[in-house]
Amino acid sequence: MFLSYGYVPDAFHRATIIPLVKCKTGDLSDVNNYRAIALSNSITKILETLLYSFIESRDLADEYQFGFKKNHSTALCTHVFKKTVNYYRQNGSHVFACFIDFNKAFDNVDYWLLFNKLLDNDPSTTCYVATRLLAYWYSNQQMFVRWQNCSSVYFTIANGVRQGGILSPFLFRFYIRDLIDRIIRLNIGCNYAGTMINLLAYADDMVLLAPSWRALQSLLLIVEDAASKINMSFNTKKTVCMVFNPFNRRKIICSKFPEFTLAGCQLQFVEHFRYLGHVIDNSLCDDMDINREIKALFTRTNILCRRFKRCSVPVKLKLFRSFCICLYDAALWSSFSVSAYNKVASSYSKCIKSFFNFAKYSSVTNMLLELGLPSFNTVIHNCQYSFERSMLRCDNVLVNNLLNC
């Protein structure tokens, strides 16, 4: 009936916005440091799931989008990035990268432009009926903000997709599909074994890759033009560039390059950048990312010690396996110093001793046997094995191309 009449009741229009802090160490009074997550009722989510089957579509540009897709992850996207950069560096070329940051990308989606794109992509009656329902639904949304025990009054919104909705990831991917498609069809930028890899995207996190300065500047001009057509703007303060030099020092062309320009602003060059949670530096050494994971490991362990110190050993084991053994992107560590690896291995043992109340100089082997926990080398091996399996399960063209080369 909803599809037939293009109508949903008032209860479907309403959603609760929960502000989540992006950076806990940042300015908590800054509104830009919060992400608005929209919570809807369960019936709404069921309806969105059904509508997805009516409007779902695939395109070549979707292969370059790793966000919110089955059998895809941030690790796979970062892996493709690092493999592409290493390929060029090994063959004596520079690689220029630009990590693009959009201004509130999800919140600035133009409804009517989005719905017109849906109809142009699939003019069938089925898609028309689903789009008509979405148009009515989104144009009559009502939301209120809940913060701790306080709630605001209801207000309407005129643009943006709801972060937390079932349909929102697909609608956003579809909205920026033309931008991605325009870039990858230029044949400007990095090419790996016949496959153009000049852009990688994870939702609104986008990186451009090119083997020359002029090529990357050309890509930036095209991205700027394509973004203006879908009413998206850039945060040029957070958009940064990085230069990767070839392994052979004799093939380094220059140590300094002119600054890139985007939206009339000059972009900053950086030596390291946190891309999708993984720290990348301009030599692709993983020592900085290992240090990031060491800090995260101690942070998680300290939280467990503070909150669950008096729990039984079986409960502690369950908590430790869930929160401390899962090392983020550890499978991507391929170039690191022995001291950095030994440091993270030592940190792993220290965290176990701290949480399970072992003495400082207790035997690590006996401790692991008593608790039934894996050694650090086993944890890394399991991470690598799990990542390799995820690559084999992934049907992405870029990932499969890397596997076959």
Side-chain angles (χ1 to χ4, degrees):
M1 289 181 67
F2 290 165
L3 288 170
S4 298
Y5 292 98
Y7 173 84
V8 290
D10 292 341
F12 285 75
H13 296 156
R14 296 176 178 175
T16 305
I17 294 179
I18 306 295
L20 294 183
V21 180
K22 293 181 181 179
C23 180
K24 294 182 180 179
T25 58
D27 185 4
L28 297 182
S29 63
D30 183 8
V31 68
N32 295 316
N33 194 29
Y34 290 85
R35 178 177 287 107
I37 303 298
L39 304 180
S40 305
N41 57 58
S42 300
I43 304 298
T44 301
K45 294 181 179 180
I46 294 174
L47 177 59
E48 287 188 272
T49 304
L50 295 174
L51 286 175
Y52 179 71
S53 62
F54 287 93
I55 62 175
E56 180 187 12
S57 64
R58 297 197 65 175
D59 187 82
L60 175 62
D62 293 334
E63 301 297 329
Y64 294 79
Q65 174 63 263
F66 288 76
F68 310 113
K69 294 169 65 178
K70 186 178 180 181
N71 294 329
H72 288 66
S73 65
T74 57
L76 284 174
C77 186
T78 307
H79 174 69
V80 174
F81 172 85
K82 296 179 74 172
K83 287 284 286 186
T84 304
V85 172
N86 263 331
Y87 172 77
Y88 273 83
R89 294 180 70 211
Q90 290 169 357
N91 286 277
S93 172
H94 289 271
V95 178
F96 297 83
C98 180
F99 301 92
I100 296 178
D101 187 83
F102 291 100
N103 276 324
K104 298 186 178 298
F106 279 81
D107 297 334
N108 289 327
V109 172
D110 188 316
Y111 292 155
W112 305 111
L113 183 58
L114 170 64
F115 299 143
N116 284 329
K117 284 178 176 288
L118 287 172
L119 294 176
D120 292 339
N121 179 70
D122 183 5
S124 64
T125 304
T126 303
C127 183
Y128 167 76
V129 170
T131 305
R132 181 182 63 170
L133 177 59
L134 284 173
Y136 176 79
W137 192 355
Y138 272 75
S139 60
N140 290 279
Q141 287 185 104
Q142 290 186 326
M143 296 191 177
F144 72 92
V145 179
R146 187 171 68 200
W147 179 256
Q148 296 181 355
N149 296 323
C150 300
S151 300
S152 70
V153 296
Y154 279 103
F155 56 90
T156 58
I157 57 175
N159 55 281
V161 291
R162 295 176 295 179
Q163 297 189 56
I166 301 297
L167 276 178
S168 298
F170 170 76
L171 293 176
F172 182 78
R173 293 202 314 265
F174 188 86
Y175 187 71
I176 65 170
R177 180 184 289 177
D178 290 343
L179 184 152
I180 296 175
D181 187 69
R182 185 171 173 184
I183 296 297
I184 63 176
R185 294 186 185 278
L186 286 173
N187 291 326
I188 299 175
C190 292
N191 188 301
Y192 193 105
T195 302
M196 183 59 60
I197 309 182
N198 56 0
L199 178 147
L200 294 170
Y202 192 94
D204 61 330
D205 289 311
M206 194 174 294
V207 58
L208 301 177
L209 291 169
S212 69
W213 187 95
R214 186 175 295 275
L216 183 58
Q217 184 60 65
S218 299
L219 291 177
L220 287 170
L221 293 175
I222 300 301
V223 165
E224 182 181 346
D225 182 64
S228 65
K229 294 182 178 179
I230 55 175
N231 300 326
M232 293 183 68
S233 59
F234 306 95
N235 186 342
T236 52
K237 292 183 179 179
K238 293 185 178 180
T239 299
V240 296
C241 299
M242 190 180 295
V243 181
F244 300 90
N245 294 326
F247 287 114
N248 189 342
R249 293 186 177 181
R250 291 179 297 177
K251 295 186 177 182
I252 296 177
I253 298 174
C254 183
S255 58
K256 290 187 177 180
F257 293 89
E259 293 180 325
F260 292 99
T261 303
L262 177 66
C265 299
Q266 292 184 331
L267 304 180
Q268 178 186 4
F269 279 103
V270 295
E271 294 184 354
H272 55 85
F273 182 75
R274 188 162 181 167
Y275 176 61
L276 302 179
H278 185 91
V279 179
I280 294 175
D281 72 359
N282 56 3
S283 64
L284 285 187
C285 178
D286 294 312
D287 285 6
M288 293 189 67
D289 191 65
I290 290 176
N291 289 330
R292 172 201 57 79
E293 189 56 39
I294 290 173
K295 293 179 182 178
L297 182 60
F298 277 117
T299 299
R300 293 194 294 266
T301 303
N302 289 336
I303 292 174
L304 292 181
C305 289
R306 187 171 67 251
R307 298 183 180 180
F308 305 101
K309 184 178 181 179
R310 300 181 183 277
C311 291
S312 62
V313 173
V315 173
K316 285 186 173 182
L317 283 171
K318 185 71 174 178
L319 291 169
F320 192 84
R321 289 179 182 274
S322 300
F323 293 98
C324 298
I325 289 184
C326 301
L327 304 179
Y328 184 77
D329 279 359
L332 301 181
W333 296 342
S334 58
S335 175
F336 48 81
S337 63
V338 175
S339 60
Y341 186 85
N342 290 338
K343 186 177 179 181
V344 68
S346 175
S347 300
Y348 175 74
S349 301
K350 289 179 180 178
C351 289
I352 295 176
K353 291 178 181 179
S354 174
F355 188 46
F356 292 95
N357 301 318
F358 281 90
K360 182 178 181 180
Y361 296 105
S362 299
S363 170
V364 175
T365 302
N366 292 337
M367 177 181 65
L368 295 176
L369 287 173
E370 181 180 338
L371 296 174
L373 290 174
S375 65
F376 182 75
N377 289 336
T378 303
V379 171
I380 295 297
H381 178 271
N382 291 341
C383 289
Q384 293 172 344
Y385 176 74
S386 177
F387 180 68
E388 289 172 1
R389 287 187 55 123
S390 68
M391 290 184 67
L392 294 173
R393 290 195 303 267
C394 184
D395 59 353
N396 186 280
V397 171
L398 306 184
V399 175
N400 292 335
N401 184 56
L402 295 180
L403 283 173
N404 297 330
C405 293

